[in-house]
Amino acid sequence: MPSIESTGKTIEEALESALGQLAVPPERVEVEVLEEPGRAVLGLVPTAAKIRVTVLRENALEAEGLLIELLQKMNIEATVEHRLDANEEGPAIIDIRGDDLGLLIGWRGETLRALQLLVNTMVRQSLPDAGAIVIDVERYRARREDSVRELALRVADRAKRNQERIGLEPMQPYERRVVHTALAEDPDLSTESEGEEPDRRVVITPKEVRSNAIVDYGRGRGPAERGGDRFGRGGARGDGGGRGRR
């Protein structure tokens, strides 16, 4: 997202200058005040106002408006914000903040996932070429990613120690990506995704294994053989071999 810093005698003057440089209307930007203008004291020159102006993505603005309308119809009081620290090359991230928003998250984030799918579909109706929108509620996704990352490292250590292949519980795509990324630099193991949605999961395989059987993490030591996994589909392998596959 393009962002510039601008100064002026007043915040309004600094904003006007920034908008002229960015060539965008005021409703397309987020303004952060870095320094308030100061008054002249004892003949000193007054300090200028300093702001940072960030251009918001069109699809994010569209998503914000849709979310606000949806929340109002659901009688949910919340604040909708465009996350400015999101990677410019990645999807735009919209944060929903408020009290008692567990209803929007649902079990294992399923409601949040459905809400995100709905908003992306609605945005593309008006902006067919729009990039993806990620919706987060009270930083749930960030907390979940930290939890999944810690789990991946812990299970990887067990897999290497016991020389066994371990299959994690089914996860959403962004959670599986966290696992692959967390373990991508470990030379002593590999990761791969297998199965079909919504039961798709990550299998962690150490370089040295005693058996090709897969142990289901959190379900004791009952391995799921490749000929018939716990999903009852004959051990479908959606990604094949390799590292860091979704």
Side-chain angles (χ1 to χ4, degrees):
M1 291 174 288
S3 179
I4 65 171
E5 293 184 1
S6 177
T7 59
K9 294 181 180 179
T10 64
I11 292 176
E12 291 75 13
E13 183 179 298
L15 176 58
E16 183 178 355
S17 174
L19 293 175
Q21 295 178 60
L22 294 169
V24 294
E27 60 269 17
R28 284 287 310 279
V29 302
E30 183 85 5
V31 180
E32 179 185 359
V33 178
L34 303 177
E35 294 180 15
E36 295 279 357
R39 296 180 179 179
V41 179
L42 299 177
L44 298 177
V45 177
T47 56
K50 185 177 182 181
I51 61 175
R52 179 180 293 117
V53 179
T54 303
V55 179
L56 302 180
R57 305 181 197 183
E58 189 175 6
N59 61 338
L61 290 172
E62 182 74 13
E64 284 186 14
L66 291 170
L67 276 171
I68 291 173
E69 184 177 352
L70 287 171
L71 294 174
Q72 288 175 344
K73 291 182 177 180
M74 297 170 67
N75 293 320
I76 295 177
E77 295 185 5
T79 301
V80 179
E81 299 176 347
H82 185 187
R83 189 182 301 177
L84 298 181
D85 59 356
N87 187 327
E88 184 173 348
E89 297 181 357
I93 301 177
I94 306 296
D95 286 319
I96 303 177
R97 302 178 184 275
D99 298 325
D100 301 323
L101 297 181
L103 177 67
L104 294 178
I105 298 174
W107 187 80
R108 292 286 177 86
E110 286 299 325
T111 304
L112 176 57
R113 183 181 184 183
L115 178 63
Q116 178 175 290
L117 177 60
L118 173 63
V119 170
N120 273 280
T121 300
M122 295 174 70
V123 167
R124 290 195 177 101
Q125 288 181 343
S126 56
L127 300 172
D129 298 326
I133 298 289
V134 172
I135 298 175
D136 202 356
V137 176
E138 285 294 336
R139 309 289 287 196
Y140 166 80
R141 286 181 181 273
R143 296 195 306 271
R144 176 63 178 160
E145 287 179 8
D146 289 341
S147 176
V148 170
R149 190 176 297 108
E150 292 175 4
L151 172 67
L153 296 174
R154 186 166 65 249
V155 174
D157 182 65
R158 169 181 152 178
K160 290 185 291 185
R161 185 173 63 251
N162 296 341
Q163 296 183 330
E164 61 187 10
R165 304 181 68 204
I166 300 179
L168 300 178
E169 63 184 0
M171 293 180 176
Q172 295 185 24
Y174 83 93
E175 295 171 328
R176 297 196 298 269
R177 284 194 293 271
V178 170
V179 176
H180 293 310
T181 301
L183 303 180
E185 301 302 322
D186 191 327
D188 297 322
L189 56 78
S190 63
T191 62
E192 59 185 340
S193 293
E194 67 167 22
E196 300 174 2
E197 301 291 1
D199 296 321
R200 196 161 172 78
R201 64 174 182 172
V202 177
V203 175
I204 299 174
T205 303
K207 182 178 294 185
E208 298 181 3
V209 293
R210 294 178 298 179
S211 169
N212 198 42
I214 299 174
V215 175
D216 291 335
Y217 181 76
R219 291 177 176 264
R221 299 186 60 82
E225 299 289 351
R226 189 164 305 286
D229 66 14
R230 67 187 180 94
F231 306 126
R233 288 191 300 270
R237 293 285 299 281
D239 286 344
R243 301 174 61 89
R245 303 292 298 276
R246 291 183 59 189

